């Protein structure tokens, strides 16, 4: 089981970065194309980080051994109120589908330094990975709110199953005026 660093890191106002939306480019060299480097972070739609939040997310992702990038997402009201949390179709297809197929499974989801976790269901619905069954209670118990920027870290358990650890990186950065 993965035990992470202190997880609730507060972002600062100021410089904001809008990362590429999960695209990885090949670099062309004199001998052709260089190997594709997998991203360490995968950003959900309209997710922006401060430099400190990005640094924290990169630090967390460097401890991940599953080969799946950290999924960075700004929590929307729909992520909190609905009975599920959906990951982007591109992310799900590229990193999760091969491990879960179309069925899904029960998994442990942890928050911060939590050692016990909650049992939730992973399911592939319309090509998207979704957390179902217990997600609203998990959000409530860990005080995750709309506007929080969260890093979802997928870890491989000893049995080969995936678990998930959710880190709150702070709130949405304020726009620069």
């Amino acid at each position: 089981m993965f035990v992470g660093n202190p997880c609730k890191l507060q972002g600062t106002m100021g410089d904001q970065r809008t990362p590429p939306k999960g695209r990885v480019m090949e670099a062309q060299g004199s001998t052709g194309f260089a190997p594709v480097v997998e991203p360490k972070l995968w950003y959900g739609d309209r997710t922006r980080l401060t430099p400190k939040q990005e640094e924290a997310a990169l630090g967390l992702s460097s401890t991940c051994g599953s080969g799946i990038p950290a999924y960075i997402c700004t929590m929307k009201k729909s992520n909190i109120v609905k009975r599920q949390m959906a990951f982007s179709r591109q992310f799900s297809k590229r990193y999760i589908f091969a491990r879960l197929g179309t069925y899904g499974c029960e998994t442990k989801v942890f928050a911060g330094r939590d050692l016990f976790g909650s049992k939730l269901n992973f399911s592939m619905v319309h090509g998207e990975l979704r957390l179902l069954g217990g997600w609203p209670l998990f959000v409530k118990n860990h005080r995750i709110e709309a506007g929080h920027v969260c890093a979802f870290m997928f870890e491989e358990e000893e049995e080969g199953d995936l678990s998930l650890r959710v880190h709150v990186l702070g709130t949405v950065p304020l726009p620069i005026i």
Side-chain angles (χ1 to χ4, degrees), residues 21 43-48 71-74 76 88:
K21 300 294 183 208
Y43 294 85
D45 291 341
R46 297 181 185 100
T47 295
R48 300 162 95 186
Y71 187 83
I72 311 299
C73 177
T74 302
K76 300 175 189 115
S88 77

Side-chain angles (χ1 to χ4, degrees), residues 1-9 60 63 109-118 138 141-142 144 151 153 164-168:
M1 179 186 344
F2 171 76
V3 178
N5 298 327
C7 308
K8 189 159 183 161
L9 304 171
L60 291 168
T63 63
V109 180
F110 303 89
R113 291 188 251 174
D114 174 22
L115 298 177
F116 300 104
S118 302
F138 179 84
N141 288 344
H142 298 287
I144 298 173
M153 309 290 299
L164 182 64
R165 187 167 293 273
V166 182
H167 300 274
V168 177

Side-chain angles (χ1 to χ4, degrees), residues 44-121:
D45 291 341
R46 297 181 185 100
T47 295
R48 300 162 95 186
L49 301 177
T50 65
K52 287 192 180 214
Q53 288 170 331
E54 185 173 33
E55 183 181 329
L58 285 169
L60 291 168
S61 71
S62 69
T63 63
C64 183
S66 70
I68 300 173
Y71 187 83
I72 311 299
C73 177
T74 302
M75 301 304 287
K76 300 175 189 115
K77 186 175 181 180
S78 62
N79 299 127
I80 305 301
V81 176
K82 287 188 177 180
R83 297 186 168 282
Q84 61 188 334
M85 166 65 195
F87 295 81
S88 77
R89 187 170 282 126
Q90 280 184 316
F91 176 83
S92 300
K93 183 179 178 182
R94 186 166 184 174
Y95 295 103
I96 307 299
F97 182 76
R99 294 177 189 238
L100 294 182
T102 57
Y103 300 107
C105 61
E106 186 175 75
T107 191
K108 284 277 212 168
V109 180
F110 303 89
R113 291 188 251 174
D114 174 22
L115 298 177
F116 300 104
S118 302
K119 287 188 178 183
L120 276 75
N121 293 319

Side-chain angles (χ1 to χ4, degrees), residues 16-32:
Q16 297 176 19
R17 299 181 186 187
T18 303
K21 300 294 183 208
R23 295 187 187 102
V24 180
M25 306 297 280
E26 293 183 26
Q28 187 172 12
S30 60
T31 59

